[in-house]
Amino acid sequence: MITLNKIGDYHNRQVLEIECLKADEKPIGTIDGLVITNGSKLHELDGSTYEYDEQNKTWVLQPKSSGGADGREIELQKTQTHIQWRYVGTEEWFDLVSLDEISFKHSDFTPEQLQALKGVKGDKGDPGTNGTNGKDGLSIKSTQINDSGHLILTFSDESTKDVGKVTGENGAPGKNGVSPTVEVSKSGKTTTITIKDSTGTKTAQIADGADGQSAIAPRVKVKEGDVTIQPNTLTIIENIDKGYVSTMNITLAPITNENIANEYHFFFKSSTDPSVKTTLSLPETVMSDLTSIENNNIYEISIMENCLSYANWMVI
């Protein structure tokens, strides 16, 4: 069966696209009442691709390209703002993709993707008295961009992580036949990723996951009121005179090491006096479903990536 493709509800009258099987008789001159124009394409679904020679009324077998879809040869150029393409032998250039769309910036990645690029933090050590160290974090072993344009990371334990789409969409008819290549090199605890495509070469350097922390974390006690919580430190908020905390205005200290998973961790005991309600004020950037503090409870609060989680126990 021979099929004449359409663009939307209309035939492309300049260059027709025809599909058939190898055993089908190729149309000559016209198809469905339309003139087969010079340069029209015929794709055998089980064979080769041909281009129509209108003057000699014959189909000319086209060579297969090493990459991209079969078709007319194209060439690429880069301007200050775009990657452009055109058919070889023609004068007009067409925008393929904006350079802004294929440039990698820190803000292009979600917090989950940035965390995946940093690697996985090592397990904490044995929580026993001696506080043995945990095992080292994972490093990136290799990377690749799959057929869907997603960057896939493979870690040193052979686990994988899809960090999402990193390539732009095709901006013009046809494909440029140039597939991105990814190379990975390692120096110390830094992995260098080199991506080469039709636009040139881009590199990014990514630190390995942090080494496992000792089971003994810094532990500090502070008074209630205006409290600054340091990252990766266990903070106990207390009021020795009353035996419970009534007011806490929390500030999160700046993070000094972006290459590890930073946690703000603190404990407090809520009011045991039925006439007093414990209040907790958090920075506006923190996302939390902790709407109120119950009396006569001990609370454990953890904040990572501006997301709050908590547990509480009733005091007996």
Side-chain angles (χ1 to χ4, degrees):
M1 179 180 71
I2 301 176
T3 303
L4 176 61
N5 289 337
K6 296 180 179 180
I7 299 178
D9 294 327
Y10 302 97
H11 298 291
N12 184 336
R13 302 236 174 204
Q14 294 181 342
V15 178
L16 301 182
E17 293 280 348
I18 303 171
E19 293 180 350
C20 68
L21 297 176
K22 186 181 296 186
D24 293 329
E25 183 178 353
K26 299 177 179 59
I28 300 295
T30 62
I31 180 173
D32 294 347
L34 298 174
V35 174
I36 304 176
T37 52
N38 198 49
S40 294
K41 303 290 191 302
L42 185 145
H43 304 284
E44 292 177 339
L45 300 178
D46 55 347
S48 303
T49 297
Y50 296 81
E51 188 169 313
Y52 192 64
D53 181 347
E54 188 174 4
Q55 181 177 358
N56 296 307
K57 296 191 181 301
T58 184
W59 290 99
V60 180
L61 178 65
Q62 299 297 297
K64 292 184 178 294
S65 62
S66 58
D70 294 337
R72 294 171 63 182
E73 184 179 359
I74 67 171
E75 56 185 337
L76 302 174
Q77 72 171 12
K78 182 175 76 171
T79 69
Q80 292 184 346
T81 59
H82 287 79
I83 301 298
Q84 295 182 323
W85 71 278
R86 71 177 180 184
Y87 290 117
V88 172
T90 62
E91 296 183 358
E92 185 175 4
W93 288 95
F94 300 94
D95 290 340
L96 177 63
V97 64
S98 167
L99 294 180
D100 290 339
E101 295 179 8
I102 57 176
S103 297
F104 296 105
K105 302 186 295 294
H106 186 276
S107 59
D108 292 333
F109 295 93
T110 65
E112 291 78 12
Q113 292 172 340
L114 289 173
Q115 185 60 41
L117 289 171
K118 291 177 185 176
V120 180
K121 184 180 179 182
D123 292 338
K124 289 187 177 180
D126 185 346
T129 303
N130 293 330
T132 55
N133 289 332
K135 59 185 180 182
D136 290 347
L138 301 179
S139 61
I140 297 174
K141 180 180 179 181
S142 64
T143 66
Q144 69 176 38
I145 298 176
N146 64 18
D147 293 339
S148 300
H150 286 233
L151 179 61
I152 307 299
L153 305 180
T154 300
F155 295 99
S156 52
D157 66 347
E158 303 301 330
S159 63
T160 60
K161 176 73 174 182
D162 183 344
V163 301
K165 188 172 180 61
V166 296
T167 59
E169 301 294 339
N170 291 331
K175 298 182 183 293
N176 60 22
V178 179
S179 297
T181 61
V182 180
E183 298 176 358
V184 179
S185 59
K186 185 82 178 286
S187 177
K189 291 191 175 184
T190 300
T191 299
T192 299
I193 301 175
T194 303
I195 301 176
K196 297 179 180 179
D197 57 19
S198 60
T199 69
T201 302
K202 304 180 186 70
T203 61
Q205 291 187 329
I206 302 166
D208 286 354
D211 291 345
Q213 293 182 340
S214 168
I216 302 177
R219 182 176 183 270
V220 297
K221 291 185 177 182
V222 297
K223 293 182 179 180
E224 68 170 319
D226 295 332
V227 179
T228 298
I229 305 297
Q230 300 294 331
N232 307 315
T233 299
L234 176 58
T235 301
I236 310 299
I237 304 174
E238 61 182 5
N239 185 315
I240 298 176
D241 296 334
K242 294 187 297 185
Y244 62 82
V245 175
S246 56
T247 303
M248 293 165 289
N249 299 315
I250 302 298
T251 299
L252 303 181
I255 291 173
T256 58
N257 186 353
E258 294 284 354
N259 294 320
I260 63 175
N262 291 277
E263 178 185 18
Y264 297 94
H265 191 194
F266 59 97
F267 278 78
F268 64 88
K269 181 180 179 181
S270 64
S271 173
T272 57
D273 183 346
S275 65
V276 176
K277 191 70 174 177
T278 296
T279 60
L280 174 65
S281 176
L282 297 166
E284 293 182 355
T285 56
V286 175
M287 295 178 287
S288 170
D289 60 356
L290 180 57
T291 57
S292 63
I293 304 298
E294 297 181 15
N295 278 13
N296 207 38
N297 274 252
I298 294 176
Y299 279 82
E300 177 185 9
I301 308 294
S302 173
I303 301 174
M304 295 184 68
E305 299 293 339
N306 279 325
C307 294
L308 182 146
S309 60
Y310 70 95
N312 60 301
W313 303 270
M314 180 174 291
V315 179
I316 299 176

